[in-house]
Amino acid sequence: MRKFAVIAVIAGCLPTFAWGPEGHSLVARIADAQLTPAARARVAAILGPDTTMASISSWADEVRRSRANTAPWHYIDIPIDKPHLDMARDCPKGDCVIAKIEDFRKALNDAAIAPAERREDLMFLIHFIGDMHQPLHCSDNKDKGGNDVHVEFFGRRTNLHSVWDSGLLGRMGTEDQLFGPLSTESARRARKWSKGTVEDWAEQAHKAAQKMVYGRLPKVAAGAPVPIDAAYEKRADPLIRQQIEKAGARLAVVLNATLR
Ligand code: ADE
Ligand code: ZN
Ligand code: ZN
């Protein structure tokens, strides 16, 4: 019993990662349904037997601790008080999520790369296009993308980042309940959403963080936990649905264009 309590306390102090496994799996399943036959065949050949895009969509989070150099690859800290992304300012070392998406996209067609490495490159790409659609993975308020913001979320003490990774999504229904409607809506609007560059998509996520994630946050006394209530949730849920729909459509567009 004591051991569990200690583990729970340690786990509560660690920063949280990305969309939880449910969010990444939804993005991968939505994208899979929008792949061309050619892209689907190449994905299957790269990933190998008994492996789907959904089944490896959270692998990058599983290796994040053992491969410390990959930790910054999951996000880009665009300051919340700046109007635009500036790669020189926000990604000076080229190790942020936006630079890595481009690196791994190019690697998929690089004949010099060995199959095992290409498999990892595809697993990273699938995960990172999901991550960059979580608004707090494209934003920072000098709070590690909301990891340092204490909140009270329906009776539970947690942090703002975790609420946006998985807390809100977890209250929206099961993965199987969400998949049908999100996949249909994603396919319906895919053409419109696939316009623009990966940098444009990051700016959209950043704008959503400005307007909704931080913009609608109740004001509280310094140090007090911020209450995330039903009114906040009601505005947040449509944004989360749309970010997952966009991520799925855009992952498909990137793979369809790259794996011909
Ligand atoms: N660590 C620092 N900034 C972060 C962000 N925006 N998202 C996730 N982890 C972070
Ligand atoms: Zn996260
Ligand atoms: Zn991640």
Side-chain angles (χ1 to χ4, degrees):
M1 187 64 201
R2 225 179 44 230
K3 200 150 108 197
F4 288 124
V6 170
I7 291 167
V9 168
I10 293 169
C13 298
L14 294 170
T16 49
F17 286 166
W19 295 120
E22 186 192 13
H24 282 289
S25 180
L26 279 168
V27 171
R29 289 171 67 184
I30 291 167
D32 197 335
Q34 294 178 39
L35 291 184
T36 61
R40 186 170 298 113
R42 281 209 55 203
V43 166
I46 294 169
L47 293 180
D50 303 320
T51 311
T52 61
M53 299 217 301
S55 73
I56 52 76
S57 60
S58 288
W59 168 83
D61 278 339
E62 287 157 23
V63 301
R64 187 168 162 166
R65 279 187 217 293
S66 59
R67 299 196 195 179
N69 66 308
T70 71
W73 299 0
H74 295 251
Y75 59 87
I76 180 166
D77 280 342
I78 308 173
I80 204 70
D81 57 356
K82 292 285 192 281
H84 295 291
L85 163 69
D86 177 341
M87 285 297 277
R89 177 192 66 206
D90 305 330
C91 189
K93 297 185 197 150
D95 62 354
C96 67
V97 70
I98 303 307
K100 283 289 145 187
I101 286 171
E102 187 57 12
D103 288 351
F104 291 129
R105 193 187 61 73
K106 283 194 193 130
L108 291 183
N109 279 330
D110 183 342
I113 288 177
E117 192 178 334
R118 193 188 318 283
R119 184 169 189 271
E120 288 201 348
D121 294 344
L122 178 57
M123 294 197 291
F124 276 126
L125 182 64
I126 290 166
H127 182 86
F128 290 152
I129 291 183
D131 267 358
M132 69 158 293
H133 283 81
Q134 204 280 54
L136 288 171
H137 279 245
C138 285
S139 313
D140 185 64
N141 190 25
K142 301 196 178 88
D143 59 1
K144 299 196 184 73
N147 273 295
D148 293 342
V149 179
H150 302 293
V151 302
E152 167 130 358
F153 183 64
F154 296 99
R156 202 160 53 82
R157 291 289 291 268
T158 178
N159 70 70
L160 185 63
H161 190 100
S162 174
V163 162
W164 278 87
D165 270 351
S166 55
L168 289 159
L169 185 61
R171 287 171 49 86
M172 286 163 62
T174 66
E175 184 184 321
D176 284 336
Q177 284 168 342
L178 291 169
F179 172 68
L182 267 57
S183 184
T184 302
E185 185 67 0
S186 174
R188 192 176 74 79
R189 300 175 75 180
R191 259 164 70 110
K192 177 176 168 170
W193 284 341
S194 60
K195 296 205 173 90
T197 64
V198 176
E199 293 186 22
D200 295 331
W201 303 343
E203 289 202 338
Q204 289 173 14
H206 174 253
K207 196 154 269 126
Q210 289 176 324
K211 284 174 72 168
M212 172 64 229
V213 180
Y214 290 101
R216 297 272 167 194
L217 216 52
K219 305 278 178 283
V220 292
V226 183
I228 303 286
D229 56 10
Y232 186 93
E233 181 179 49
K234 194 165 169 227
R235 289 183 182 270
D237 283 0
L239 172 60
I240 290 175
R241 294 175 83 94
Q242 191 174 88
Q243 287 300 105
I244 289 177
E245 290 160 6
K246 283 181 171 177
R250 289 164 175 175
L251 174 56
V253 159
V254 168
L255 294 177
N256 286 340
T258 310
L259 301 174
R260 292 166 176 279

